[in-house]
Amino acid sequence: RLGEARAGDLDAKDVERLRAKAYGQFVRSWNGVDQVAAQVSTAWTQGWDLFRYLELVEQVTLERVVDRLRTFDRSRRAASVVR
């Protein structure tokens, strides 16, 4: 799907679905105390604000996604097989 998106086959509805998925996953992650503790500690150790996550998700737009996709250089990709 990345190739299609880079070719311009991504639209605003696709971005809205991705935002809704991210929102849903975030909300579900608060289902248990252990999950909340893991989220808070991960955010703290990585230096980001867990409570701004949804605000940042809301800022994702089609234009921003397309701009970011343009930064991927297919000639610099690699694959690993772990067995």
Side-chain angles (χ1 to χ4, degrees):
R1 185 86 175 114
L2 179 59
E4 295 171 4
R6 289 186 73 201
D9 290 341
L10 190 68
D11 62 24
K13 287 184 180 183
D14 293 323
V15 173
E16 182 58 36
R17 273 192 301 277
L18 292 170
R19 286 184 12 208
K21 181 179 179 179
Y23 181 85
Q25 289 173 334
F26 182 78
V27 170
R28 276 192 309 278
S29 74
W30 291 84
N31 281 339
V33 174
D34 57 330
Q35 292 170 315
V36 172
Q39 289 247 8
V40 170
S41 65
T42 298
W44 184 79
T45 58
Q46 293 179 356
W48 56 276
D49 185 355
L50 176 66
F51 302 104
R52 283 198 61 226
Y53 178 78
L54 293 179
E55 177 185 326
L56 296 173
V57 168
E58 286 300 314
Q59 293 176 11
V60 174
T61 64
L62 176 60
E63 294 77 21
R64 286 183 169 188
V65 171
V66 170
D67 285 344
R68 179 61 64 170
L69 289 173
R70 288 189 185 122
T71 66
F72 289 101
D73 182 356
R74 296 187 79 151
S75 68
R76 294 179 165 257
R77 65 184 175 186
S80 300
V81 177
V82 178
R83 295 182 185 190

